[in-house]
Amino acid sequence: MSRRVAVAGAGMAGLVAAARLRELGCEVDHTEKGTRVGGSMLLSSCVVWRHRDWDEFRRECPGGDETVQRLIWERLDSAIEWISSRGAPVVWEETGNPRTVGKRFEPRGLAEALASDVRLGVSAIPDAPVILATGGFAASNDLVQEHIRPAAPLRLRGNEWSQGDGLRFGLERGAALTPALDEFYGRNMPDAAWDETQLVSLSQLYGRFARIFDSDGVEFFQRDDVSWSETNVVQATARRPDAKAFYVLDEEALRQRVRERTVAEMVEAAPAEARVPLADLPFDPPPGAVAAVRVVASITHTIGGLRVDGAARVADGVWAAGIDAGGVAAGGYASGLAQALVLGLVAAEDAAS
Ligand SMILES: Cc1cc2nc3c(=O)[nH]c(=O)nc-3n(C[C@H](O)[C@H](O)[C@H](O)COP(=O)(O)OP(=O)(O)OC[C@H]3O[C@@H](n4cnc5c(N)ncnc54)[C@H](O)[C@@H]3O)c2cc1C
């Protein structure tokens, strides 16, 4: 008789785990809390990547578990080949970032290539053996408040269903937590209305060129300290009054490019409510300032979570994959999709055996 394994969550990690389990001859009970499959992956830019250089990964994410980081770093290239061979459509053969290697996929096509027999709208997590792939706790205000402690509730920049169900289930079954529960990956977004179709296009990814103030006029972050992923300035913004900041720009800053757009174009694309006339700033603008945008810290996913071993196990008969598995990017930023892809495969292979 074939082995039966449950998978909770049909985002990146869950889709990968379920597909791999079936490939290995298992019977799969696949549940998804949301009204659709794909999780935050479906909303994402879908660049699946790793740091080019192992030492740089360690330098950038020094608080992460080295065994799990090594597993992801070493297995990602073959995992990308696996997912491509399953029919996930590749849109970029390279990431376009010299620090990283990987591929960009088309998210809807990726979900269609992997999804099969998912029970939608089910939040109860089936009993062991189960692979937890519920995407962390970014969508739970209570858990974010408890662990991340922002100055104000964070705006959500990801799927609405990742509310810590996997975390709670794992803890009940005896799992341990990782460090870095107070860290998160997100973006500073315009302090205005936006919807899930604008999560990529409205990201204000030019903190490294801006002067960065809070609403008390404190210049709380120096542009030279902004990391390439800008995650550090977003985490710092979350702890300033109202979890907001002002990016103040001079002419030179506006001329800079971030990928295919100039900073001026990104500012222009921000909703008018977030573009603040200099005279309306709650502090004196610095010399040379020509534009200002009010931004709000927004959370995409959590970085701390359940502690996994080298086989993605968290407790007897329980595995965690993707963002439910914490401590991979602690101290910095690494690809959540790579974490989901590799740990989804590893969890499935161990659960199948
Ligand atoms: C705008 C945006 C851009 C991004 N760009 C990139 C990028 O280019 N590269 C990158 O690496 N990462 C990117 N990310 C992050 C990436 O999308 C996530 O890291 C990745 O999707 C995590 O995979 P996951 O499977 O852990 O979680 P998800 O893909 O979010 O899936 C979790 C799933 O679990 C479901 N769920 C929750 N609770 C339950 C329950 N109790 N039972 C059953 N199901 C449940 C959720 O509904 C969801 O479908 C981006 C994210 C966003 C929002």
Side-chain angles (χ1 to χ4, degrees):
M1 217 174 80
S2 63
R3 185 166 162 78
R4 187 177 169 83
V5 180
V7 178
M12 181 69 166
L15 288 171
V16 166
R20 184 70 180 132
L21 283 166
R22 289 198 173 96
E23 220 172 53
L24 295 171
C26 295
E27 208 184 305
V28 181
D29 178 14
H30 197 179
T31 54
E32 164 56 51
K33 182 175 185 172
T35 51
R36 56 156 177 80
V37 302
S40 291
M41 182 272 288
L42 207 64
L43 312 173
S44 80
S45 313
C46 219
V47 183
V48 186
W49 59 271
R50 64 171 171 83
H51 292 82
R52 186 177 293 276
D53 180 56
W54 164 252
D55 292 331
E56 192 175 333
F57 184 13
R58 283 297 297 158
R59 260 196 309 279
E60 268 209 33
C61 303
D65 180 309
E66 194 168 342
T67 307
V68 183
Q69 288 180 335
R70 175 68 78 176
L71 184 67
I72 294 168
W73 193 82
E74 285 181 352
R75 274 203 64 171
L76 185 67
D77 299 357
S78 62
I80 286 178
E81 273 174 37
W82 175 83
I83 205 168
S84 308
S85 75
R86 296 284 316 217
V90 175
V91 285
W92 292 351
E93 289 293 341
E94 291 177 4
T95 63
N97 178 343
R99 286 187 181 81
T100 65
V101 290
K103 288 194 197 315
R104 181 176 186 173
F105 291 89
E106 195 284 297
R108 198 159 295 278
L110 190 158
E112 280 164 11
L114 298 184
S116 159
D117 284 340
V118 181
R119 292 198 284 136
L120 294 176
V122 179
S123 58
I125 296 179
D127 237 322
V130 61
I131 297 174
L132 304 172
T134 71
F137 59 87
S140 162
N141 265 334
D142 289 348
L143 287 174
V144 167
Q145 185 55 42
E146 180 185 337
H147 295 293
I148 295 176
R149 299 184 174 280
L154 298 177
R155 293 276 297 273
L156 182 62
R157 181 181 175 273
N159 87 76
E160 64 190 273
W161 301 291
S162 290
Q163 298 164 343
D165 297 351
L167 188 89
R168 290 190 194 89
F169 184 96
L171 291 176
E172 279 163 20
R173 295 297 186 284
L177 292 172
T178 64
L181 283 163
D182 58 340
E183 293 182 32
F184 69 95
Y185 159 63
R187 293 281 183 233
N188 276 343
M189 297 290 285
D191 184 20
W194 31 264
D195 64 38
E196 68 173 33
T197 64
Q198 298 172 299
L199 301 184
V200 175
S201 62
L202 287 187
S203 295
Q204 302 298 288
L205 247 180
Y206 50 83
R208 76 203 82 163
F209 304 119
R211 302 277 303 266
I212 305 166
F213 298 85
D214 68 14
S215 52
D216 294 333
V218 177
E219 188 168 15
F220 67 92
F221 216 90
Q222 296 300 314
R223 53 189 153 194
D224 289 347
D225 295 331
V226 176
S227 60
W228 67 271
S229 66
E230 305 216 349
T231 309
N232 61 353
V233 70
V234 181
Q235 293 188 14
T237 304
R239 274 109 192 180
R240 305 313 294 184
D242 298 326
K244 291 181 186 175
F246 292 86
Y247 283 176
V248 183
L249 302 145
D250 60 19
E251 289 288 2
E252 195 191 334
L254 290 178
R255 281 195 296 273
Q256 303 298 320
R257 296 192 79 82
V258 180
R259 300 194 189 120
E260 67 279 9
R261 292 192 295 173
T262 62
V263 172
E265 285 164 344
M266 295 169 83
V267 169
E268 192 58 33
E273 310 102 271
R275 282 185 268 130
V276 183
L278 297 179
D280 293 348
L281 285 173
F283 50 86
D284 289 335
V290 292
V293 177
R294 194 175 52 245
V295 294
V296 56
S298 306
I299 182 167
T300 296
H301 63 66
T302 38
I303 286 184
L306 298 170
R307 186 190 296 279
V308 294
D309 67 10
R313 277 183 294 243
V314 299
D316 198 23
V318 187
W319 294 258
I323 298 304
D324 277 349
V328 176
Y333 173 56
S335 166
L337 291 168
Q339 178 172 333
L341 171 55
V342 172
L343 293 180
L345 291 174
V346 169
E349 286 160 13
D350 197 57
S353 67

